[in-house]
């Protein structure tokens, strides 16, 4: 048996074995995780997982303790996206589990590999609804919201449970996996030598899925016939780590590409074949569009609206169920992207394309005009600052520090930063993505910094920051090279909302335009700045990145900077159904 008494004066005393021949579930679990290469865990402890977290630390797993589980989950998901291996989130039962589940579900929606491990209370009183401590039927809550969900009830099943969770997170389309570990399973003991025999290394946990030769042939034939072809690169392509193959595909065909938000930098935004400034032209005029790890979801108007009704799609994706989900796909290529792009490159050898000679020069000419116009918008020195005048210096500083990872959330702050800041390296932009989820900022920044060791800048709307702000303290506690830049326009979309009742309560969109977020940073020992001019912002951001320390820059914007819902106001019910509120 293991004795789990703690010594209050000195904090935790490593679990002492009163019977060296026995080990507990909570000892086996970190061993099993280490065995499959997990070296980091993000979480928040309490009954029944506190000792387990200590045991993880003792066994050499880095434990990053958070103030809120959702943030720890966002960190795990970002860790998964950036490393290609599942990030791990640890939560306590019921409430901690629920707080973390949003992040695990968000990871599933975004195809990020992660595993949420949660302690859960003793089964019997939960099943009889007898009001046990933090009791909840967690497994059944998680099912349906995550890619896969498992429960492990006895220590001898832990190595298999971990391997199953790992495979589920990483194979096929990646996603969030839930692993329920009951209190009895954590505390139960088994023979140490018997336990040692249970560990194994899963063979080929992320097997290649090679597309059929016919599907590749069909795609090449369609592409070869195209007059105005285009690639749309998605974050699936960034996740697949096939940077060289993508470059080859674009450059050998000479076909322009449009990168989705998190695929920016897969090829530099400044690449001559980048159609990032010609989105409408691609939608309206392309006759063959190749989706490479990008879904035809709301972010691409579900293939409707502006899209050329006669246009045909080739879709490269690992998930066969993605095909035809919004619009018929003329040439699906189902497989992992490394295999599919390699097969496409081989099949394209010696094939002559029939691209119109005016197509690429047209896009380039349009891009040149639009980029010049756009730059002018960023060169204004308006004080109080607008999103645009603030983004002028942010663009300059970030583009001269291309290896900094940019985390970004908000409405106007998201849309305008994405459009303003060119990316030149793959997997250097992480944002609120497919679900447009606010509150990914601090967690993703921490996950990115821990997983890569690189510097991170998080550009946050003031509302967006509010969702995760307390975990700025985690950035400080772990002394991470993260700079948080808060665009304070005093509200959701802006700070000029008016309470239509004439009452004194703030409007639903109104926050705190005079708030000094820099003081919040000070509380945790960060280097902080409060800036009111573009020049001061440029100086502060340059200095903050160079310091490689936790920094917070409160950027004072005008309260009237920003419009409702940023670029997606058309999705509001009043706009969709054309009525007046
Ligand atoms: P974006 O938002 O950038 O358009 P999405 O998250 O909508 O990207 O789409 C990513 C797509 O990439 C998903 O449909 C997913 O199945 C696919 N995907 C992820 N990893 C791979 C891979 N290794 N090989 C092929 N497809 C992948
Ligand atoms: N809650 C959650 C979890 N996600 C959301 N996306 C929203 C609410 C709704 N929402 C948006 O879609 S953007 C946004 C909210 C609350 C914040 C926009 O304000 P901001 O950015 O201060 O972050 P700007 O620059 O003022 O637009
Ligand atoms: Mg705001």
């Amino acid at each position: 048996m293991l004795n789990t008494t703690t010594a209050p004066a000195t904090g935790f005393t490593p679990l002492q074995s009163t019977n060296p021949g026995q080990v507990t579930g909570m000892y086996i679990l970190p061993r099993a995780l280490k065995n499959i290469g997990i070296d980091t865990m993000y979480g928040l402890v309490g009954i029944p997982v506190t000792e387990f977290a200590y045991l993880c630390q003792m066994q050499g797993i880095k434990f990053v303790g958070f103030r809120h589980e959702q943030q720890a989950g966002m960190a795990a998901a970002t860790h998964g996206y950036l490393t290609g291996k599942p990030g791990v989130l640890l939560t306590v039962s019921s409430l901690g589990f629920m707080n973390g589940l949003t992040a695990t579900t968000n990871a599933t929606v975004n195809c990020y590999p992660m595993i949420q491990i949660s302690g859960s209370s003793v089964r019997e009183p939960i099943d009889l609804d007898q009001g046990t401590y933090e009791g909840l039927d967690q497994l059944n809550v998680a099912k349906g919201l995550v890619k896969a969900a498992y429960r492990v009830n006895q220590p001898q099943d832990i190595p298999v449970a971990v391997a199953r969770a790992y495979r589920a997170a990483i194979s096929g389309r990646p996603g969030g996996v839930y692993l329920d570990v009951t209190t009895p399973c954590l505390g139960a003991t088994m023979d140490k030598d018997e336990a040692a025999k249970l560990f194994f290394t899963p063979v080929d946990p992320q097997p290649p899925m090679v597309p059929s030769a016919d599907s590749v042939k069909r795609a090449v034939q369609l592409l070869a016939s195209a007059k105005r072809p285009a690639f749309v690169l998605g974050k699936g392509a960034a996740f697949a780590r096939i940077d060289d193959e993508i470059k080859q595909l674009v450059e050998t065909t000479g076909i322009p590409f449009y990168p989705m938000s998190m695929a920016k930098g897969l090829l530099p935004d400044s690449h001559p074949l980048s159609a990032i400034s010609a989105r409408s032209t691609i939608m309206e005029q392309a006759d063959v569009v190749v989706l490479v790890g990008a879904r035809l979801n709301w972010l691409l108007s579900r293939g409707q609206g502006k899209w050329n009704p006669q246009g045909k799609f080739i879709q490269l994706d690992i998930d066969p169920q993605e095909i035809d989900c919004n619009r018929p796909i003329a040439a699906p290529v189902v497989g992992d992207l490394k295999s599919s792009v390699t097969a496409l490159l081989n099949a394209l050898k010696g094939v002559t394309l029939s691209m119109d000679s005016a197509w690429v020069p047209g896009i380039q000419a349009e891009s040149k005009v639009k980029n010049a116009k756009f730059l002018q918008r960023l060169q204004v020195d308006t004080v109080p600052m607008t999103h645009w005048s603030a983004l002028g210096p942010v663009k300059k500083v970030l583009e001269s520090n291309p290896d900094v990872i940019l985390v970004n959330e908000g409405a106007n702050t998201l849309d305008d930063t994405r459009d303003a800041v060119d990316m030149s390296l793959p997997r250097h932009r992480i944002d609120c993505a497919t679900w447009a989820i606010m509150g990914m900022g601090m967690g993703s920044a921490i996950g990115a910094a821990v997983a890569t060791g690189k510097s991170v800048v998080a550009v946050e709307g003031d509302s967006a920051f509010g969702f995760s702000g307390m975990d700025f303290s985690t950035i400080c506690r772990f002394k991470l090279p993260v700079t948080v830049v808060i665009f304070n326009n005093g509200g959701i979309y802006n700070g000029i909302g008016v309470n239509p009742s004439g009452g004194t309560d703030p409007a639903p969109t109104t926050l705190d335009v005079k708030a000094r977020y820099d003081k919040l940073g000070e509380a945790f020992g960060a280097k902080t700045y409060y800036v009111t001019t573009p020049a001061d912002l440029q100086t502060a951001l340059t200095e903050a990145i160079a310091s490689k320390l936790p920094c917070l820059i409160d950027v004072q914007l005008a309260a009237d900077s920003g419009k409702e819902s940023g670029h997606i106001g058309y999705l509001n019910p009043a706009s969709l159904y054309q009525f007046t509120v």
Side-chain angles (χ1 to χ4, degrees), residues 109-111 172-174 206 232-237 239-240 260-263 292-297 299-300 315-319 322 335-338 433-434:
V109 170
N110 280 287
C111 316
R173 172 185 274 181
Q206 195 180 20
V232 172
L233 307 177
K235 65 179 175 300
F239 174 75
M260 300 302 288
S261 175
M262 283 177 54
V292 187
R295 283 174 284 188
L296 219 41
N297 56 14
L299 286 157
L300 288 171
Q315 184 162 22
L316 275 56
D317 204 288
I318 203 160
D319 185 355
E322 187 58 38
D336 74 279
L337 278 171
K338 185 161 178 72
T434 309

Side-chain angles (χ1 to χ4, degrees), residues 19-364:
N19 182 348
Q22 297 274 297
V23 285
T24 56
M26 73 178 107
Y27 173 86
I28 297 173
L29 187 48
R31 283 284 308 275
L33 290 167
K34 269 190 80 175
N35 205 48
I36 57 166
I38 303 296
D39 55 13
T40 307
M41 188 180 284
Y42 303 90
L44 202 163
V45 301
I47 295 171
V49 296
T50 313
E51 285 92 344
F52 165 65
Y54 274 113
L55 277 167
C56 286
Q57 270 192 333
M58 266 171 67
Q59 294 193 30
I61 294 177
K62 184 179 179 74
F63 185 84
V64 185
F66 277 70
R67 306 299 287 264
H68 194 284
E69 292 89 348
Q70 186 175 317
Q71 292 312 303
M74 295 296 173
T78 297
H79 187 108
Y81 174 72
L82 290 179
T83 62
K85 293 202 173 133
V88 177
L89 160 67
L90 178 68
T91 56
V92 302
S93 16
S94 65
L95 26 116
F97 155 79
M98 295 280 282
N99 285 347
L101 189 60
T102 302
T104 311
T105 307
N106 183 60
T108 307
V109 170
N110 280 287
C111 316
Y112 305 142
M114 73 170 274
I115 302 170
Q116 177 177 357
I117 298 176
S118 189
S120 68
S121 296
V122 181
R123 290 296 323 152
E124 289 80 352
I126 291 176
D127 292 342
L128 266 175
D129 196 17
Q130 292 174 313
T132 192
Y133 175 72
E134 293 184 358
L136 181 75
D137 193 357
Q138 296 169 198
L139 181 64
N140 282 312
V141 171
K143 276 183 185 165
L145 292 173
V146 297
K147 186 180 173 197
Y150 307 103
R151 172 181 294 134
V152 56
N153 291 300
Q154 44 184 4
Q156 57 269 38
D157 289 340
I158 288 174
V160 164
V162 166
R164 278 181 75 60
Y166 189 86
R167 278 188 187 277
I170 202 72
S171 60
R173 172 185 274 181
V177 175
Y178 176 60
L179 180 59
D180 195 79
V181 188
T182 61
T183 300
C185 177
L186 287 166
T189 58
M190 70 175 289
D191 184 82
K192 192 174 182 180
D193 295 335
E194 287 305 310
K197 291 182 200 154
L198 298 173
F199 298 110
F200 68 101
T201 306
V203 177
D204 206 7
Q206 195 180 20
M209 293 171 68
V210 181
S212 79
D214 281 352
S215 70
V216 175
K217 201 167 147 197
R218 195 184 298 119
V220 168
Q221 274 170 358
L222 181 56
L223 193 58
S225 72
K227 303 281 177 222
R228 296 176 306 282
F231 291 113
V232 172
L233 307 177
K235 65 179 175 300
F239 174 75
R241 286 168 180 67
I242 45 162
D243 311 342
D244 291 345
E245 289 88 341
I246 295 283
K247 183 171 155 67
Q248 223 184 316
L249 187 62
V250 168
E251 291 181 354
T252 56
T253 58
I255 295 173
F257 67 94
Y258 176 84
M260 300 302 288
S261 175
M262 283 177 54
K264 271 164 69 85
L266 190 42
L267 286 171
D269 285 334
S270 58
H271 192 285
L273 289 169
S274 168
I276 196 161
S277 307
R279 178 183 163 104
S280 295
T281 301
I282 298 287
M283 290 169 91
E284 288 161 10
Q285 295 183 27
D287 60 350
V288 175
V289 174
V290 192
L291 299 165
V292 187
R295 283 174 284 188
L296 219 41
N297 56 14
W298 71 277
L299 286 157
L300 288 171
S301 312
R302 298 177 36 232
Q304 292 149 23
K306 270 190 187 174
W307 285 98
N308 172 7
Q310 270 80 49
K312 293 201 161 70
F313 286 88
I314 298 169
Q315 184 162 22
L316 275 56
D317 204 288
I318 203 160
D319 185 355
Q321 291 186 46
E322 187 58 38
I323 309 301
D324 292 338
C325 86
N326 268 307
R327 182 169 165 158
I329 300 295
V333 180
V334 175
D336 74 279
L337 278 171
K338 185 161 178 72
S339 303
S340 297
V341 173
T342 306
L344 215 57
L345 280 169
N346 286 333
L348 277 165
K349 278 183 192 144
V351 171
T352 314
L353 303 178
S354 18
M355 188 157 51
D356 269 354
S357 55
W359 176 233
V360 171
I363 287 172
Q364 287 170 335

